[in-house]
Amino acid sequence: MHLNHMWNQLHTRRWITLITIKDVAQLAGVSKATVSRVLNNSGYVNEATRQKVEVVMKEHQYIPSASAVSLSRQETSTIGVLVPEIDNMFYGDMLHGITEVADQKELSLIFFDTQDNGEKEARALRTLSQQRVRGLILAPAVDYSNDAMASNLRKQLNALNIPLVIVDRDSDNMPWDGVFYENYQSSYQAAIELYKAGNRRLGVITGDLKLKIGRDRLEGFRQGVLDCGLNLREEDIFEGDFLTPRAYELSKAMFHSGDWPQAIYTSNNSTSLGFLKATHECGIEIGRDIAVIGNDRIAILDMLGIPFSCVYRDNHEMGRVALRMLLERIENPDRPRNIYMIPYSVQLSGSERITK
Amino acid sequence: MHLNHMWNQLHTRRWITLITIKDVAQLAGVSKATVSRVLNNSGYVNEATRQKVEVVMKEHQYIPSASAVSLSRQETSTIGVLVPEIDNMFYGDMLHGITEVADQKELSLIFFDTQDNGEKEARALRTLSQQRVRGLILAPAVDYSNDAMASNLRKQLNALNIPLVIVDRDSDNMPWDGVFYENYQSSYQAAIELYKAGNRRLGVITGDLKLKIGRDRLEGFRQGVLDCGLNLREEDIFEGDFLTPRAYELSKAMFHSGDWPQAIYTSNNSTSLGFLKATHECGIEIGRDIAVIGNDRIAILDMLGIPFSCVYRDNHEMGRVALRMLLERIENPDRPRNIYMIPYSVQLSGSERITK
DNA sequence: TAAAGCGCTGTAACCGATTCCTTAAAATAC
DNA sequence: GTATTTTAAGGAATCGGTTACAGCGCTTTA
């Protein structure tokens, strides 16, 4: 109280030099070591001494410096989180799940948005490494087994040698833990559902096929179509990139061509939106002119009562699981690689069927 | 390369002790000070020496510890970001804007989701203070001039004495910089638009009136109604909380009552969604049974071609402005308080009018 | 030719914590 | 009453950087 006041006087409006452990020690008439023991509840401290120190700490609002603690303990209590586009609801939900667990475990999160850009991802990794984060949750921007940047990024990640959980976007032959989604199976299921609803000519707007997640969704769907005794025509495969604008363009072109599949599978939420935008603009009516099933749920559509069938997973849960898994890895660095597959759910609303 | 290898052997699968400045110095045959000079491009360094050091750094993938740097420099390069609910698109967009600028300026973000909870906010502030963040962007969970928790939080923020920008949610008599939105005026405008569209009995689903932002939107709307020569009936003011479930309940009750205003103003995006959900469930048709204008744009509705008129601002821009403002404050702690009002836009789509 | 200045580098103190080691007093055992 | 253990607290090294200062060789200037 008194000290703070003095400092305020000295450098008004400047960065206030916060009170340090040394100050607390002096004010309480003990050594730094003792204050540290009080702080961490470690070792022997006489009850009276503890009280004395605690009073001083409270009175002066002592807050230990995380940098100093990290430096001397040789570890931080921050977790890195890296996602490709935070303005996609999917990652918002996931991040929410992560923050929930982080809050419980008193961890801080350092956050990066890589904007689907491999170079930004590399930069972010470097920064995270400087920060000496305790662990990392990574939703990669690129396919780590494929992309041109990949080998660099892999090297970087290996060099970091940090507890790591990959979320959402799998790559082949990765040594790291992961929380993924049954991309193949859910997409397979999407085909089945479209078939069961009576559609016989099926199409798909794919995601980015440079990503394994994109290929898996296409191949799962394709296999589903085949197993229904149908075939997936080449011209009914529209190669997208998981983003809205491209899906929109593809869909519009498709409708303008005048010839399209009875039913379409859209590979993620952004793709679905692009598709829906096009249907609206082209005067196409779902349930009359075309049927659709999407990957990813779009909560707003449900609220509005707009029928939109989908296969999806719990994004929120995905975030929670990811951080929990990371913590287990941190606890036990030697345990074998762990992969958790978030199960998919099917939500049928009628949009997968042509009724009119 | 060689060193890393050795370490890998020693403690396999353990946290690798990264190479330090001391190691680099030794390997390059110079002192720590010289390495530091190379690192920061400060002071005199002979070109040959610089080369030598840089080679060693590159070869051994030297990455300086942020904790050590912060400790000795007495400042960090991290910014704290605190939002009430990251799974609301609004904050996702804002965060995106923030990350954009942070990336340019090579700043790290420490992120917290307070879930509209004052206690979590207090905890987060404590953690941020430990982290000695360079500055803080805060979208408060509570009204700092009103709420029961407020005085504690205010005290805490004052104690932190950290460069601070408040975003989105204003409070009275706050000494801090802020980036806000023309809540009063935009809501006033909403009333005007509803009037111009021919509606004469207007209603509102408010936000949380414990928040200034909620009160401003209500009062702006009320004044607008009055200035149109109408009055805002008490029974046409539905007191919500900015969240979807409550707005949904209120709207449903309103429709069940059989008597409702010609036009409704919904106070934010979540409120709009609750309202829309209710209209759908109750078989109410917008444009026939009721007109609506919302605060906040809902991008998906535009894509789907669902008419939804609104007053709104650029959330993305809001994030960018906030961080830029924060950086200016950090540069110049003595400058007078700065407030930026994000202008509002009006988007009319027909939903503000009853045509059938 | 001596003093001053410049370019370059190293030594050592420091930032704010933790922790090992030591010492001393108090409590307990024999 | 002495030996041993337990409790309590301080001194000092340490973590990995930054930076003020000193020193040295060489060039420039009076």
Side-chain angles (χ1 to χ4, degrees):
Chain A
M1 196 81 175
H2 170 254
L3 253 147
N4 263 331
H5 183 64
M6 194 181 75
W7 281 331
N8 272 321
Q9 299 266 352
L10 284 180
H11 11 214
T12 318
R13 300 210 135 280
R14 274 239 142 276
W15 175 268
I16 285 206
T17 312
L18 293 171
I19 194 173
T20 73
I21 198 173
K22 203 173 136 195
D23 300 319
V24 174
Q26 242 156 40
L27 289 164
V30 299
S31 70
K32 292 199 303 175
T34 299
V35 177
S36 177
R37 281 181 210 113
V38 171
L39 218 47
N40 301 295
N41 247 319
S42 62
Y44 296 111
V45 179
N46 182 283
E47 189 49 32
T49 312
R50 153 167 279 116
Q51 300 268 337
K52 216 168 36 175
V53 172
E54 272 170 353
V55 165
V56 172
M57 295 201 296
K58 185 141 290 175
E59 239 180 33
H60 294 79
Q61 304 219 50
Y62 169 63
I63 295 175
S65 147
S67 303
V69 174
S70 304
L71 186 58
S72 79
R73 276 220 250 270
Q74 293 284 78
E75 71 177 24
T76 65
S77 55
T78 56
I79 300 290
V81 178
L82 231 145
V83 307
E85 35 165 356
I86 187 54
D87 46 346
N88 183 332
M89 273 307 275
F90 167 66
Y91 292 109
D93 285 341
M94 208 183 74
L95 187 51
H96 183 199
I98 294 174
T99 58
E100 248 178 62
V101 179
D103 186 57
Q104 285 164 24
K105 308 283 183 180
E106 312 216 33
L107 294 165
S108 301
L109 300 179
I110 295 198
F111 173 79
F112 287 88
D113 183 347
T114 58
Q115 318 227 47
D116 264 314
N117 176 332
E119 283 167 41
K120 288 204 177 170
E121 184 159 318
R123 288 235 313 272
L125 288 177
R126 217 168 306 133
T127 305
L128 287 167
S129 161
Q130 289 186 200
Q131 299 283 353
R132 305 287 196 265
V133 290
R134 196 86 177 277
L136 175 57
I137 295 178
L138 171 62
V142 303
D143 191 317
Y144 273 39
S145 54
N146 231 356
D147 196 272
M149 290 222 65
S151 86
N152 278 334
L153 282 169
R154 282 187 79 142
K155 246 183 253 165
Q156 222 182 323
L157 279 177
N158 277 320
L160 285 190
N161 196 41
I162 219 177
L164 175 59
V165 172
I166 309 278
V167 284
D168 188 39
R169 296 177 171 183
D170 198 4
S171 302
D172 285 319
N173 304 316
M174 292 293 101
W176 303 295
D177 290 340
V179 180
F180 305 116
Y181 164 53
E182 302 275 10
N183 288 302
Y184 189 94
Q185 288 85 338
S186 63
S187 302
Y188 184 97
Q189 189 65 31
I192 304 296
E193 297 297 342
L194 288 178
Y195 179 84
K196 287 200 303 196
N199 305 290
R200 292 298 174 265
R201 179 181 164 193
L202 309 184
V204 53
I205 305 178
T206 76
D208 184 348
L209 297 183
K210 288 199 295 297
L211 295 173
K212 176 165 156 61
I213 187 177
R215 297 190 298 275
D216 283 354
R217 290 186 189 177
L218 171 57
E219 293 314 322
F221 184 74
R222 191 200 300 274
Q223 192 60 49
V225 173
L226 290 176
D227 288 359
C228 291
L230 306 174
N231 81 318
L232 182 59
R233 306 193 204 170
E234 273 311 306
E235 68 265 33
D236 291 345
I237 300 177
F238 300 90
E239 191 175 331
D241 59 2
F242 280 135
L243 299 178
T244 300
R246 175 109 182 108
Y248 168 70
E249 295 299 337
L250 289 170
S251 307
K252 231 166 67 168
M254 177 176 84
F255 293 133
H256 283 319
S257 80
D259 175 52
W260 58 81
Q262 288 174 294
I264 280 281
Y265 170 53
T266 48
S267 295
N268 78 332
N269 57 359
S270 302
T271 304
S272 304
L273 289 176
F275 171 79
L276 292 173
K277 186 175 173 199
T279 59
H280 166 254
E281 272 194 28
C282 299
I284 302 291
E285 195 180 312
I286 290 170
R288 182 191 68 192
D289 307 314
I290 196 167
V292 64
I293 191 166
N295 200 312
D296 283 356
R297 200 168 152 202
I298 302 176
I300 293 186
L301 298 182
D302 300 337
M303 290 190 190
L304 299 174
I306 295 176
F308 186 77
S309 303
C310 58
V311 290
Y312 73 100
R313 74 293 201 188
D314 184 343
N315 302 329
H316 205 245
E317 176 70 5
M318 210 160 165
R320 281 189 298 243
V321 170
L323 184 44
R324 283 199 211 106
M325 185 183 280
L326 182 60
L327 296 177
E328 285 167 25
R329 162 70 51 203
I330 291 171
E331 286 279 303
N332 179 7
D334 298 319
R335 71 181 204 153
R337 183 185 185 214
N338 198 5
I339 296 291
Y340 183 88
M341 283 306 212
I342 294 273
Y344 67 87
S345 306
V346 178
Q347 170 177 309
L348 297 182
S349 64
S351 80
E352 79 285 2
R353 179 183 307 268
I354 295 183
T355 47
K356 298 171 197 171
Chain B
M1 198 79 178
H2 169 254
L3 252 147
N4 263 330
H5 182 65
M6 194 182 75
W7 281 330
N8 273 321
Q9 299 265 351
L10 284 180
H11 12 212
T12 318
R13 302 212 135 278
R14 276 238 141 276
W15 175 268
I16 285 204
T17 311
L18 294 170
I19 192 174
T20 72
I21 198 174
K22 203 173 137 196
D23 301 320
V24 173
Q26 241 156 42
L27 289 163
V30 298
S31 70
K32 291 199 304 176
T34 299
V35 177
S36 176
R37 281 182 208 113
V38 172
L39 217 47
N40 301 295
N41 247 318
S42 62
Y44 296 110
V45 179
N46 182 282
E47 189 49 33
T49 312
R50 152 167 281 118
Q51 301 268 337
K52 214 169 36 177
V53 172
E54 271 169 354
V55 165
V56 173
M57 295 200 297
K58 185 142 289 173
E59 239 180 34
H60 294 79
Q61 304 219 50
Y62 169 62
I63 294 176
S65 147
S67 303
V69 174
S70 304
L71 187 58
S72 80
R73 274 220 250 270
Q74 294 283 77
E75 72 177 24
T76 64
S77 56
T78 56
I79 299 290
V81 177
L82 231 144
V83 307
E85 35 164 357
I86 187 55
D87 46 347
N88 183 332
M89 274 305 275
F90 167 67
Y91 293 109
D93 286 341
M94 208 183 75
L95 188 51
H96 184 199
I98 295 174
T99 59
E100 247 179 63
V101 179
D103 186 58
Q104 286 165 21
K105 309 283 182 178
E106 311 217 33
L107 294 165
S108 302
L109 299 180
I110 296 199
F111 174 79
F112 287 88
D113 183 345
T114 57
Q115 318 226 46
D116 264 314
N117 176 331
E119 284 168 42
K120 288 203 174 166
E121 185 159 318
R123 290 235 313 271
L125 289 177
R126 216 167 306 134
T127 305
L128 287 167
S129 163
Q130 289 184 201
Q131 299 282 353
R132 305 286 195 266
V133 290
R134 198 83 177 278
L136 173 59
I137 295 178
L138 170 61
V142 303
D143 190 317
Y144 274 40
S145 54
N146 230 357
D147 197 271
M149 289 222 66
S151 86
N152 278 335
L153 282 168
R154 282 186 79 143
K155 247 182 255 166
Q156 222 183 323
L157 278 177
N158 277 320
L160 286 187
N161 195 41
I162 217 176
L164 174 60
V165 171
I166 309 279
V167 284
D168 188 39
R169 297 178 172 185
D170 197 3
S171 302
D172 285 320
N173 303 317
M174 292 293 99
W176 302 295
D177 289 341
V179 180
F180 306 116
Y181 164 53
E182 302 274 10
N183 289 302
Y184 189 95
Q185 287 86 338
S186 64
S187 303
Y188 184 96
Q189 190 65 31
I192 304 294
E193 298 296 344
L194 288 178
Y195 179 84
K196 287 201 301 195
N199 306 289
R200 292 299 175 262
R201 179 180 163 194
L202 309 184
V204 53
I205 305 178
T206 76
D208 184 347
L209 296 184
K210 288 200 293 299
L211 296 172
K212 177 165 156 62
I213 187 177
R215 295 190 298 274
D216 283 353
R217 290 186 187 177
L218 171 56
E219 293 314 322
F221 184 74
R222 192 201 299 275
Q223 192 60 48
V225 174
L226 290 176
D227 287 359
C228 291
L230 307 173
N231 80 318
L232 183 58
R233 305 192 204 171
E234 274 311 309
E235 68 264 34
D236 291 345
I237 301 177
F238 300 90
E239 191 175 333
D241 58 3
F242 280 136
L243 300 177
T244 300
R246 175 107 182 109
Y248 168 70
E249 295 299 339
L250 288 171
S251 308
K252 232 167 64 172
M254 177 176 83
F255 292 132
H256 284 317
S257 80
D259 175 52
W260 61 79
Q262 287 174 294
I264 279 282
Y265 170 53
T266 49
S267 295
N268 78 333
N269 57 358
S270 302
T271 304
S272 304
L273 288 175
F275 171 79
L276 292 172
K277 186 175 174 199
T279 59
H280 166 254
E281 272 194 28
C282 298
I284 302 292
E285 195 181 313
I286 290 170
R288 182 190 67 192
D289 307 314
I290 195 166
V292 64
I293 192 166
N295 199 314
D296 283 357
R297 203 169 149 200
I298 302 177
I300 294 186
L301 298 182
D302 299 338
M303 290 191 191
L304 299 175
I306 295 176
F308 186 77
S309 303
C310 57
V311 290
Y312 73 101
R313 75 291 202 188
D314 184 341
N315 302 329
H316 205 247
E317 175 69 5
M318 210 160 165
R320 282 189 296 243
V321 170
L323 184 44
R324 283 200 211 107
M325 185 183 280
L326 182 60
L327 295 176
E328 285 168 24
R329 162 72 50 203
I330 290 170
E331 286 279 302
N332 178 5
D334 298 318
R335 72 182 203 152
R337 184 184 185 214
N338 200 5
I339 296 292
Y340 184 87
M341 284 303 213
I342 296 273
Y344 66 88
S345 306
V346 178
Q347 172 176 307
L348 297 181
S349 64
S351 80
E352 80 286 2
R353 181 183 305 269
I354 295 184
T355 47
K356 297 170 196 167

